[in-house]
Every structure is written in C-alpha cells, then in structure tokens.
C-alpha cells in the first residue's frame, strides 16, 4: 500500500490523459503546393502555430472555437472547430490585398528586396532609440510578478480512477486555464512586488524587493527554492526592444533587433487594425528556418510616424528545436508615456511543457504588471547597496492587506486555495513515507525527521557516495551526515566515515563551520561569510582534486584506465570565506597536510642515479606541507540556488574571475617553502544569427620556487567516463609536470544549427557540440630533475616499475612552444537527456600509455 501511494503521487503528471490535437495542411488552391509559415491560430486565444515547410500544422484541439488561417497575399479563412478531423485548407490568392502581390500560378518566393514589410520593420528598428526610456537621467517603476507552475491537461477521468481516487480533494483544486482552455492543477506559485530604479551616470540598475511570498508543494522541500529559482531563470522577462532575448536559458533574436532581425526573420504585412482605439499595422514574422531558436508571431505597430510597437504576440514555433515546449506564448502591451517614451505595461507568458516521451505535461505562467513609471531624480543613497538586488527585511512578512493593495493581477481560486491543498496532502496516510523517499532522490540527502512541526536537525547524505570504488579501497562504503540550521542557524557540523574492503582501512572527515550570517538551512548558502575548521583522513589520486564533485561519487569513481598512483592523506585546515552580493569574494586558508604514497606513488629524492630503484622507493612514501592560501574572486551578476550539498550557479552568462596565491611554510611540520600563483577567467559569448554559444575557460599559473614534483603543476585530468567542465579528457594522471602553465578551453554549443538542416537529424532534435582544450607548459631549469641529478631538494618524477624491475616514467616535460591539444565533437539531446562526446588527442602521442581516442558521456536536461 505504501508503495502504491508513493507511485501515485510521484507519477501524478504521468497519468494525465493527453489532450487531443488538431492537425491539418495548408496548400495553394490553384497549384496545390504547400503554404509554408502560414499563421494558424484560434480567435481570441493565445494559441497558434505556423505551418512547416510542407504546410502541415498541429495544435491543441479546442472544440467550439474559431480557427483562423492566414498568410500574406491570401484570403483569410475561418473554421468552426467541432471535432478532431484533420483540416485540408486551401487558401485563395487575394491580388488586391497588397500592391506587391503578383499572381503567377507559382509558389511565391520570399524576398527582402522591395518588400514593404521589411521596409516598415527597418523604420521600427531605427525608431527604437527615439522612444527609449534609458535616454533620461533617471527612471523608476513598480513591478508585480507572479509565477505559477501547474500540471496540465489533468483529466476528470484520471482523478476518479486507480490510485488517484484516494485523493478526491485534488478535483477541488483543478481549474480551467483561460488562456488555453485546458484543465490545470496548480501546485506552486510565487508572487513578488518590487521597485525598479535606474540612473544613467554612473549607469546603475537596482531592484528593491518589497514583498515576496510563495505557496504550494515546494514548501515540503528544504531545497524548494530550486524549483522557483530555476523556473525564474528559464522563463525570464522578455524585452523585444533588446537585441537578444534570454529565454529558456537560450538566446533568441528579437524581432526588432538592430543587428540581426532583418536577416533572421521573414516579415509579412497582414492587415490594419485597432488596439484599444489606436490604429495599428499588423506584421507577422517567422524565422527563416523554423527549427532555429527564434520567435514567430505578430507585432502591432502604430500607424503613425513614431513606428512604436503597441502590442506584441510572440510564440515559439512547434517545429522549433526547443525541448519540452509544446506551446509558448508571450503577450505584451506597451504604453506611451506623456514624454513620448515607450515602456512595457504588461507581460504574460504561458508555456505548455511535456517531459520525456510526452508522459508528463506541465504549464508555467508568468504574469508581470508595470506601474507608476517616474522620471524624477533618485537619491544616490537608494543605490548604495551591494549587488543588483536588495530584499526588504519585511518582504516575506507582508500581511493579506498588503497583497490586496499591491497585487495588480488577481489570484485564481486554485492559487488562493493552495495552502489548503498543502494541508490536505499532509493529512494523507503514508504521505510522509512518500516525502521521505522522494526527497532522498531529489535532494541527495535523507532527513531524519518527516514531521513538519519538528524539522530535521541532521541530514544523512550525500546518497550518491554510499557506494563507490577505487584502486586502493576496492569496494568502498561511506556514511555521511550534516547538521542543519534547524539545530543551530550559525553553527554547522558535517562529516563522514568510510571503509575500503581492499585495504581494510577506515577513512573519515569532520568539519565545524560558524556562519556569521544567519542561515536558512545550510552553511553553504550564498553569500558566504563562514569560518571553518576541518580534519580529513582519506585516499585519493592527485588528479581527483580537479573534479567538481565528490571524489567518491559513484558515477565518477569508475575510470577509463587503472589509476594506481594514489595517496593516503591526512590534513587539517582552517578556512575563512566572505562574499558580497555584488559578486566579490575573498578567502584565506591555513592547511597542514601529510601524504603517504600508495600503489605506484612514492616521493624519493634525487641521488645521482638516472632512475630510482624499487627497494629504495618503498622507503620514500611520505610528504609533508603547511601552506597559507589567499584568494579573491569576482563574478558580477552571478545567481545561485542553494541545495543541501552545494550551491548551483544558475546563470552561466555571468563572467567569473579568480586570483589565488599559496605560500608554503616551513612551520608546523611543513618541509617546503614555496610561492604559487594561479589566475582563472570564464566567459560565455552568444554568437549572432543563432549560431549558439561559446564558453571560454582561461587559466594560468606559476610555481615560483624550487620544489619537488608534488608541488609542480599537473594538468586537470579527468579520468572518469563523465564529462566535467574545465578538465582534459585524454591526459593521464600527472602526465605533464610544469612550473609555468596556461590553458585555454573553448566549448562551442551550436544548439542544433547544423543538424537542423539535415532532415533525419532535424526530426531527432539532436544538437551538436564541439571544442578544443589546449595546454601550454614549461619547467624551469631549477626544477628539472634531469638537469640537477644530485639535488636532494628535487624528487624523481612519478612512474612504474615494470616486470623486469626497470623504472618507466609516467610524468614528462612539455616541449618548448608545443602545446598539448585535444579536440572533441559530440551529440547531445539524445532522448532529450544524453550527451556523447568523442575526444581526439592530437599530439604527444609518442608518450607511453597514451590513446588517440576517448569517449565521455553526460546526463543533462536542457531546453
């Protein structure tokens, strides 16, 4: 019975009966040729599509509604929809509708030359600056925002059958969406009020959140903010007056972009009409290639000399390459201020989503209202806070009176009653059992309390590190736990114990953190202001430090080759981290570490012999350091969501810069004095004309001192089967050792730009990615063991003793001015979740144990 309850709740969306679809084909009535990019939409509803290259269309069935089919140069046709039978639409030419229309009995080819629609759009684009409110020294306005997430197409029959009949209260919360006419079940919503302020000199834009509240099933999850944060990051505000619109974590070219709109879109003048008394020219548009990431829709342009956009209706074509989006509509109304400035008055986005294999169906609605525009000067003190956003201390404490006055978009009945639905779920038998299992799967942690009145004081996890394996441990078991802010909002503890069944040794870690700022749940929440003390005793390979996840994560513990150069390590650290809302951060760490080589790893001083010997190497297993590290970082505009394990960067457009300096100390048992400096930079660049995006990772560092090889710089090698950003795939563990290095990694996600032009691949919606990883490195004479064979401050480079007892080096010097280079090409969006990369190593192939080719995989959901 418990399992049935769990499954019924988890698969609520999966049992929803899919709504019927209306299909059809639009052709020329004279020659029967398909009419591509014709507009097909319901009258009075923001539900519409464009026909594909074969004139075909598909959209949700709405019986009793009027369907309109139109295209430039043809007579508009209307149909009263009574059933789901396919429509065969034959459009007739209307030669008098446009002066440029020519009836020749042949399929009309789109041309930008002497096209009145294109000439009109050029004037609209040119007039943008004349009505831009940013030309003033100051402006401000109030914004009300509401975001609702719902199950879509929830049938009455499904709720009354099977296991869901045990939840009769759900029917009371189902309502009809006025925009789509479908039955939806809202499960979470968030509303927010804010004041937006802007000044020209210095150019500054700030958001002051005055009210904020949320309700729904996400309240059951400690990491519930992840859903709202990711939804808000995917379904962002749309401003067509920007050249590029960021939506669904992609960049779409605006239909009035000053740079690319004319070349990217096709425009058609449809009619003259009135929008609330204003005479407008309706212009429809669609991408040249329907599979490209672009909008289609309509612009209603003022029929006067201002060429202002009075209303816009944007949608993503059903044939586009966007995942999970069945229908996306954005309806916007613009307002002309007395000063002549063009501003947004309302924005409503309705997105209908489907999951893998069309099983689950969801809906996201974002509604914005912009009011109280002002051009009055704003005091400098209002801009004096860190970051771009500040939340009023009472924002989440606002009473019902506040929301009644500030809410410019009323709540639906289901939204208003969402608190009651939460209570009804809590009263269900075995609901806590389901919640326990589901949270462990989603959050990677298991809470020790399922009672909402007694929140968890200690969480068990991460779950994905319970089982793993490596060369030294063999099969490994690990038990981990951490305290939460429910135990203490400032003081946190975490740790683990692990056991290897091959070496029969216990490992473990313990950490105590004091957060100077009160935390909602975990110590890792942004922005950091923490002081931590930790002790750890475990085993790892030298290259494991480059992995962004736990080194004993079950998925990354399996390697492409045997990694037998490992080390037991024992380290104690004291660390301070401080971050500010503007993206600036500092940290300082004092650490003492003792390493013990295990497997093929050892630390033997040079003794004049060209290679070490087996009997001597076995006695050189320990390496001791004490170091002080200072660092600064800057990531303007970065946004994070906090999870129980770590925080996640949700907007990869934010650049990231870091600078660190480490000083080795001959103190507290440290045996080496040295200075090491490293700088990194990351930037994402969106390419024009929907050619995707490129990510650039630049790193450089220098070991300034004479040091043995464990303190030299090794490549960031990734020896697992999983794709990890910022790592080399075909480099072996410690293959190159340098004291100067620079690396450049370029990842180009073409987002289906090429595959969309290949019929079979276009249907599969696969997308292409490619990139190059390059490493430049050198080793100065003072650190070169071959030039200083008797220098006892240097060590023999790592290697292996073969069966004959001869020593074979596995670490090498890089050739002067010859970088290591590997390239890769991959396909992602396979089954909408899988990415496969083929990696090719281009040089240094003469070195032992190298491979030309490798494969990496990754599971990732993306729009």
């Amino acid at each position: 019975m418990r399992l049935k309850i769990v499954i019924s709740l988890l698969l609520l969306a999966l049992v929803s009966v899919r709504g019927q679809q209306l299909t059809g084909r639009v052709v020329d009535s004279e020659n029967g040729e398909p009419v591509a990019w014709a507009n097909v939409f319901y009258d009075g509803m923001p539900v519409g599509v464009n026909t594909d290259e074969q004139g075909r269309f598909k959209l949700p069935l709405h019986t009793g509604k009027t369907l309109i089919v139109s295209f430039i140069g043809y007579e508009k046709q209307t149909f009263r929809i009574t059933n789901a039978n396919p429509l065969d639409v034959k459009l007739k030419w209307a030669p008098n509708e446009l002066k440029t229309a020519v009836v020749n009995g042949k399929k009309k080819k789109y041309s930008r030359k002497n096209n009145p629609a294109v000439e009109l759009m050029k004037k609209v684009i040119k007039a943008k600056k004349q009505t831009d409110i940013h030309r003033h020294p100051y402006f401000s306005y109030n914004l009300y925002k509401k975001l609702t997430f719902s199950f879509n197409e929830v049938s009455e029959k499904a709720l009354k059958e099977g296991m869901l009949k045990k939840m009769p209260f759900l029917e009371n919360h189902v309502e009809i969406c006025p925009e789509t006419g479908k039955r939806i079940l809202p499960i979470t919503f968030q509303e927010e009020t804010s004041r937006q302020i802007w000044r020209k000199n210095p150019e500054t834009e700030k958001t002051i959140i005055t009210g904020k509240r949320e309700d729904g099933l996400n309240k059951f999850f400690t990491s519930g903010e992840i859903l709202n944060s990711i939804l808000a990051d995917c379904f962002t505000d749309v401003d067509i007056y920007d050249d590029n619109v960021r939506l669904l974590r992609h960049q779409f070219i605006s239909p009035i972009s000053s740079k690319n709109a004319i070349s990217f879109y096709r425009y058609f003048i449809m009619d003259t009409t009135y929008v609330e008394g204003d005479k407008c020219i309706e212009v429809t548009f669609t991408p040249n290639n329907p599979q490209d990431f672009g909008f289609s829709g309509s612009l209603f342009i003022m029929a006067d000399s201002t060429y202002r956009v009075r209303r816009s209706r944007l949608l993503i074509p059903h044939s586009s390459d966007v995942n999970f989006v069945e229908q996306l509509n954005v309806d916007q109304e613009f307002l002309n201020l007395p000063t002549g400035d063009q501003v947004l008055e309302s924005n409503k986005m309705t997105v209908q989503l489907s999951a893998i294999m069309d099983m689950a169906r969801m809906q996201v609605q974002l509604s914005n209202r912009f009011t109280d525009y002002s051009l009055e000067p704003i005091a400098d003190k209002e801009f004096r806070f860190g970051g771009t956003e500040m939340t009023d201390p009472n924002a989440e404490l606002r009473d019902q009176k506040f929301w009644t006055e500030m809410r410019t978009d009323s709540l639906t009945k289901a939204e208003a009653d969402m608190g009651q639905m939460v209570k009804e779920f809590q009263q269900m038998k075995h609901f806590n059992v389901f919640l326990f299992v589901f949270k462990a799967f989603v959050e990677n942690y298991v809470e020790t309390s399922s009672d909402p009145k007694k929140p968890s004081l200690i969480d068990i996890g991460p779950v994905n590190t319970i089982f793993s394996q490596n060369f030294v441990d063999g099969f490994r078991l690990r038990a981990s736990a951490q305290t939460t802010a429910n135990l203490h909002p400032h003081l946190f503890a975490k740790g683990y114990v692990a056991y290897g069944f091959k070496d029969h040794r216990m490992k473990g870690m313990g950490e105590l953190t004091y957060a100077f700022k009160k935390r909602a749940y975990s110590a890792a929440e942004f922005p950091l202001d923490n002081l931590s003390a930790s002790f750890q005793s475990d085993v790892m390979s030298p290259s494991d430090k480059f992995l962004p996840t736990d080194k004993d994560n079950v998925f990354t513990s399996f390697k492409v080759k045997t990694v037998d150069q490992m080390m037991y390590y024992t380290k104690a650290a004291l660390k301070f981290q401080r971050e500010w809302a503007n993206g600036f951060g500092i940290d300082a760490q004092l650490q003492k570490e003792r390493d013990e080589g295990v497997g093929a790893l050892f630390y033997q001083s040079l003794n004049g012999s060209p290679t070490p010997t087996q009997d001597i190497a076995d006695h050189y297993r320990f390496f001791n350091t004490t170091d002080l590290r200072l660092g600064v970082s800057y990531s303007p505009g970065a946004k994070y969501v906090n999870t129980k394990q770590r925080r996640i960067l949700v907007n990869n457009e934010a650049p990231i810069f870091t600078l660190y300096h480490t000083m080795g100390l001959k103190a507290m048992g440290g045996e080496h004095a040295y200075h090491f400096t490293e700088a990194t930079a990351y930037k994402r660049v969106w390419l024009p004309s929907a050619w995707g995006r490129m990510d650039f990772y630049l790193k450089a560092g220098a070991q300034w001192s004479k040091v043995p090889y464990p303190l030299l710089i090794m490549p960031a090698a990734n020896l697992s089967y999983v794709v990890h950003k910022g790592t080399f795939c075909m480099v072996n563990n410690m293959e190159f050792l340098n004291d100067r290095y620079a690396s450049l990694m370029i990842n180009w996600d073409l987002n289906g730009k090429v595959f969309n032009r290949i019929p079979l691949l276009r249907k599969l919606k696969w997308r292409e990615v490619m990139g190059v990883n390059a490493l430049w490195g050198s080793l100065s004479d003072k650190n070169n063991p071959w030039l200083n064979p008797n220098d006892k401050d240097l060590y023999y480079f790592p290697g292996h003793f073969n069966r004959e007892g001869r020593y074979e080096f596995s670490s090498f010097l890089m050739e002067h001015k010859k970088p290591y280079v590997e390239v890769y090409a991959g396909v992602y969006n396979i089954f909408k979740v899988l990415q496969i990369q083929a990696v090719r190593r281009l040089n240094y192939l003469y070195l032992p144990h190298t491979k030309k080719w490798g494969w990496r995989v990754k599971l990732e959901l993306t729009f």
Side-chain angles (χ1 to χ4, degrees):
M1 178 61 70
R2 291 185 178 184
L3 180 60
K4 289 183 178 181
I5 295 294
V6 170
I7 294 175
S8 66
L9 288 167
L10 182 60
L11 303 181
L12 174 62
L14 308 186
V15 300
S16 300
V17 177
R18 180 173 182 171
Q20 289 182 288
Q21 301 287 308
L22 177 66
T23 61
R25 192 165 185 257
V26 182
V27 299
D28 187 296
S29 63
E30 294 187 11
N31 55 30
E33 292 190 5
V35 179
W37 303 292
N39 301 290
V40 184
F41 59 95
Y42 287 104
D43 187 24
M45 297 181 65
V47 178
V49 296
N50 291 106
T51 57
D52 62 17
E53 293 175 341
Q54 301 302 318
R56 294 186 293 261
F57 66 87
K58 180 174 65 174
L59 75 171
L61 174 67
H62 292 290
T63 56
K65 298 293 183 179
T66 299
L67 188 75
I68 299 175
V69 182
S70 63
F71 193 64
I72 182 69
Y74 290 93
E75 293 180 355
K76 183 186 300 184
Q77 289 200 31
T78 60
F79 300 87
R80 188 71 173 176
I81 304 303
T82 59
N83 54 53
N85 293 335
L87 287 178
D88 185 12
V89 182
K90 298 180 179 180
L91 292 182
K92 296 180 179 180
W93 279 99
N96 296 324
E97 184 175 335
L98 291 173
K99 294 180 181 179
T100 58
V102 177
V103 181
N104 53 19
K106 297 181 180 180
K107 185 177 179 180
K108 187 175 180 180
K109 183 178 180 181
Y110 181 84
S111 174
R112 295 182 180 85
K113 187 177 181 180
N114 300 321
N115 186 327
V118 172
E119 296 304 316
L120 174 61
M121 291 309 302
K122 288 180 178 178
K123 294 178 181 179
V124 172
I125 293 170
K126 185 178 180 180
K128 287 198 304 181
K129 292 184 179 180
Q130 301 173 7
T131 58
D132 188 357
I133 195 173
H134 293 86
R135 60 196 174 100
H136 296 281
Y138 300 91
F139 70 81
S140 65
Y141 60 89
N142 292 330
L143 171 62
Y144 172 79
K145 182 183 297 187
K146 182 176 71 170
L147 180 68
T148 307
F149 185 61
S150 311
F151 287 132
N152 196 19
E153 299 185 29
V154 180
S155 70
E156 184 175 356
K157 180 180 178 181
L159 292 177
K160 293 182 178 180
E161 293 181 349
M163 292 174 287
L164 291 181
K165 67 182 181 181
K166 299 179 183 297
M167 294 172 274
F169 61 87
L170 291 179
E171 181 62 39
N172 299 328
H173 300 281
V174 174
E175 60 187 13
I176 303 297
C177 175
E179 285 75 27
T180 66
K182 298 179 181 180
R183 285 166 53 92
I184 62 173
L185 175 63
I187 59 171
T188 179
F189 91 99
Q190 179 181 1
E191 59 180 343
E192 180 181 288
T193 61
S194 62
R195 182 169 181 254
Q196 311 288 320
I197 57 178
W198 183 90
R199 66 181 175 190
K200 180 180 289 188
N201 189 23
E203 185 171 341
T204 312
E205 185 173 10
K206 301 277 188 175
T207 299
I208 304 171
I209 299 175
T210 55
K212 185 176 183 179
R213 82 179 192 97
E214 61 181 42
D215 208 347
L217 298 186
N218 59 324
K219 298 181 73 172
F220 289 122
F221 298 92
T222 306
S223 302
E225 66 171 279
I226 295 178
L227 176 61
N228 285 335
S229 298
I230 292 179
L231 288 176
D233 185 63
C234 292
F235 305 101
T236 50
D237 299 335
V238 173
D239 187 353
I240 62 171
Y241 276 81
D242 289 336
D243 288 334
N244 295 294
V245 176
R246 185 178 181 274
L247 185 64
L248 304 172
R249 293 185 173 174
H250 294 286
Q251 281 216 1
F252 292 75
I253 296 174
S254 166
I256 58 173
S257 169
S258 303
K259 299 177 180 178
N260 305 303
I262 299 300
S263 61
F264 185 81
Y265 287 104
R266 298 185 177 194
Y267 299 97
F268 309 95
I269 295 177
M270 299 305 296
D271 204 352
T272 56
T273 185
Y274 285 87
V275 177
E276 297 183 4
D278 294 326
K279 187 177 182 181
C280 298
I281 302 171
E282 181 183 359
V283 176
T284 63
F285 57 91
T286 189
N288 284 314
N289 186 337
Q291 278 71 39
D292 280 344
F293 278 71
F295 297 109
S296 63
S298 301
L299 299 174
F300 295 83
I301 300 164
M302 294 291 292
D304 56 25
S305 59
T306 64
Y307 299 106
R308 291 187 299 105
V309 177
R310 179 63 176 82
R311 172 183 291 170
S312 71
R313 177 170 293 168
L314 313 178
L315 60 90
I316 293 181
H318 184 77
S319 57
S320 73
D321 196 35
V322 181
N323 279 334
F324 312 117
V325 176
E326 289 191 337
Q327 189 77 33
L328 185 148
N329 298 86
V330 182
D331 290 287
Q332 297 183 318
E333 299 284 341
F334 293 88
L335 178 68
N336 187 29
L337 298 179
T339 56
D341 298 291
Q342 176 84 338
V343 295
L344 191 59
E345 183 178 26
S346 67
N347 175 86
K348 188 154 193 175
M349 181 188 304
T350 302
V351 189
Q352 298 180 68
L353 304 170
S354 65
I356 301 170
M357 298 176 62
D358 293 333
M359 291 187 299
R361 316 187 77 78
M362 291 79 70
Q363 177 175 285
V364 177
Q365 277 197 312
L366 174 66
S367 178
N368 294 346
R369 294 285 297 182
F370 306 79
T371 59
D372 302 325
Y373 280 94
S374 173
L375 303 178
E376 294 297 319
I378 304 171
D380 290 345
K381 64 180 182 179
E382 294 198 49
F383 294 91
R384 291 174 186 163
F385 59 85
T388 60
E389 185 177 282
M390 180 181 71
T391 302
D392 187 291
N394 297 316
E396 298 185 22
L397 304 176
R398 302 299 187 184
D399 57 17
Q400 188 60 42
K401 180 180 179 182
F402 171 87
W403 289 107
T404 301
E405 295 175 353
M406 301 300 295
R407 189 180 289 135
T408 57
D409 186 10
S410 59
L411 301 183
T412 67
K413 182 179 184 300
E415 291 169 344
D417 293 344
M418 201 166 291
Q420 178 61 31
M421 182 180 67
V422 171
K423 293 179 181 179
E424 291 167 337
F425 269 113
Q426 290 175 325
Q427 294 169 1
M428 281 189 60
K429 189 177 181 180
H430 307 307
F431 177 74
N432 288 336
V433 176
F434 157 75
L435 205 57
F436 178 86
V437 175
F438 190 67
K439 291 173 76 170
F441 175 77
V442 172
E443 299 181 327
N444 203 25
Y445 276 81
V446 176
E447 296 183 0
T448 54
S449 172
S450 57
D451 186 351
K453 297 181 180 179
K454 297 180 180 180
S456 178
L457 305 180
I458 299 175
D459 291 345
I460 307 299
V463 174
N464 61 10
T465 61
I466 295 176
F467 308 103
S468 64
Q469 63 86 36
N470 60 62
F471 177 80
V472 174
D473 278 316
F475 179 70
R476 172 183 169 112
L477 284 177
R478 169 174 153 174
S480 315
Q482 65 181 20
T483 66
T484 74
N486 298 317
L487 181 64
H488 197 289
H490 294 282
L491 192 61
F492 298 85
K494 69 177 182 179
Y496 67 82
V497 292
Y499 181 77
F501 285 82
K502 180 179 178 181
D503 66 350
H504 304 290
R505 286 180 60 162
M506 296 293 299
K507 293 89 178 174
M509 186 274 289
E511 180 179 275
L512 190 65
T513 299
Y514 184 81
F516 294 96
K517 293 182 179 180
K518 185 177 180 180
R519 297 301 177 186
Y521 198 87
S522 75
E525 294 167 7
F526 178 83
L528 294 174
D529 190 6
N530 299 345
L531 179 64
S532 302
S534 63
F535 179 84
Q536 188 173 19
S537 179
D538 209 330
V539 65
M540 65 180 291
S541 73
S543 59
D544 281 343
K545 65 182 180 181
F546 299 111
L547 296 179
T549 184
D550 295 295
K551 61 180 178 56
D552 52 354
N553 181 308
V554 64
F555 301 107
T556 59
S557 65
F558 293 92
K559 309 297 184 183
V560 296
K561 59 179 62 179
T562 300
V563 181
D564 59 359
Q565 293 171 324
M566 301 187 69
M567 61 187 185
Y568 293 113
Y569 64 94
T570 301
K571 63 181 177 182
L574 184 65
K575 186 174 185 178
F576 173 74
Q577 294 173 284
R578 177 76 164 91
E579 294 176 329
W580 287 265
N582 61 3
F584 184 75
I586 61 172
D587 70 73
Q589 176 178 277
L590 178 64
Q591 178 176 283
K592 172 180 170 56
E593 181 170 347
R594 177 178 175 83
D595 298 336
E596 177 187 352
V598 62
L601 190 66
F602 61 91
Y603 312 108
Q604 181 181 345
S605 300
L606 301 179
N607 60 11
S609 174
T611 60
T613 58
Q614 180 75 64
D615 56 339
I616 298 178
D618 288 338
H619 298 286
Y620 288 85
R621 293 288 182 177
F622 296 98
F623 188 77
N624 299 291
T625 57
T626 301
D627 58 61
L628 175 64
R629 189 183 75 163
L630 304 174
V632 296
S633 61
Y634 183 55
S635 183
K639 294 182 179 179
Y640 300 90
V641 292
N642 300 311
T643 70
K644 292 182 177 180
Q645 188 170 2
R646 59 178 59 89
R647 72 225 187 136
I648 301 173
L649 181 67
V650 295
N651 61 328
N652 289 305
E653 284 75 12
I656 302 174
F657 306 96
T658 67
L659 177 63
Y660 288 94
H661 184 76
T662 304
M663 296 173 288
L665 307 174
K666 285 189 174 181
M668 302 168 59
E671 300 171 347
H672 306 277
Y674 61 90
H675 290 270
F676 170 62
T677 305
E678 186 173 46
T680 69
Y682 162 81
K683 185 69 177 74
R684 170 169 289 182
V685 177
W686 288 91
L687 303 180
S689 300
W691 276 97
R693 62 177 184 261
M694 299 184 75
D695 292 335
F696 295 85
Y697 303 84
L698 178 62
K699 300 179 182 180
Q703 172 59 263
W704 306 103
S705 309
K706 184 173 73 171
V707 293
Y709 84 81
L711 296 173
L712 294 178
I713 306 166
M714 67 184 71
N718 172 22
L719 300 176
S720 74
Y721 290 93
V722 181
V723 175
H724 286 298
K725 292 181 179 179
T727 60
F728 294 92
C729 293
M730 301 304 294
V731 173
N732 291 324
N733 186 29
M734 298 186 294
E735 182 173 349
F736 301 112
L737 294 175
N738 307 297
D739 56 15
R740 306 287 191 276
Y741 93 100
S743 68
L744 176 63
M745 298 181 176
I746 304 174
N747 180 81
W748 183 11
D749 183 348
L750 283 80
N751 213 15
K753 184 69 172 181
V754 177
F755 285 0
N756 284 340
R757 284 149 179 82
I758 303 173
L760 176 60
L761 298 181
R762 180 176 63 193
K763 186 175 182 180
L764 293 172
K765 290 191 175 183
W766 287 359
R767 302 173 189 169
E768 60 282 87
V769 63
M770 62 182 67
V772 57
N773 300 328
L775 171 69
W776 292 262
S778 65
L779 187 67
S780 59
D781 291 349
K782 67 176 180 290
N783 285 319
N784 190 331
W786 285 276
L787 298 180
N788 306 278
N790 296 298
D791 192 335
K792 295 186 180 300
D793 291 332
L794 303 182
Y795 293 173
Y796 287 102
F797 272 18
H800 298 82
F801 290 96
N802 61 23
R803 293 180 179 179
E804 291 76 27
R806 293 196 307 270
Y807 189 73
E808 297 177 349
F809 289 101
S810 60
S811 296
F812 307 94
L813 305 182
M814 299 191 70
E815 296 180 28
H816 184 59
K817 295 184 178 180
K818 180 181 178 180
Y820 165 86
V821 181
E822 64 182 30
V823 295
Y824 60 88
V827 178
Y828 73 101
N829 206 40
I830 303 172
F831 308 119
K832 298 185 180 180
V833 296
L834 177 63
Q835 177 179 157
I836 301 177
Q837 287 186 4
V839 190
R840 175 66 158 85
R841 177 171 174 155
L842 298 184
N843 54 5
Y844 290 97
L845 295 170
Y846 59 84
L847 296 177
H849 309 295
T850 60
K851 293 184 179 180
K852 287 184 178 181
W853 290 96
W855 299 89
R856 297 294 184 271
V857 298
K858 184 179 182 180
L859 294 176
E860 182 180 37
L861 287 172
T862 177
F863 285 103

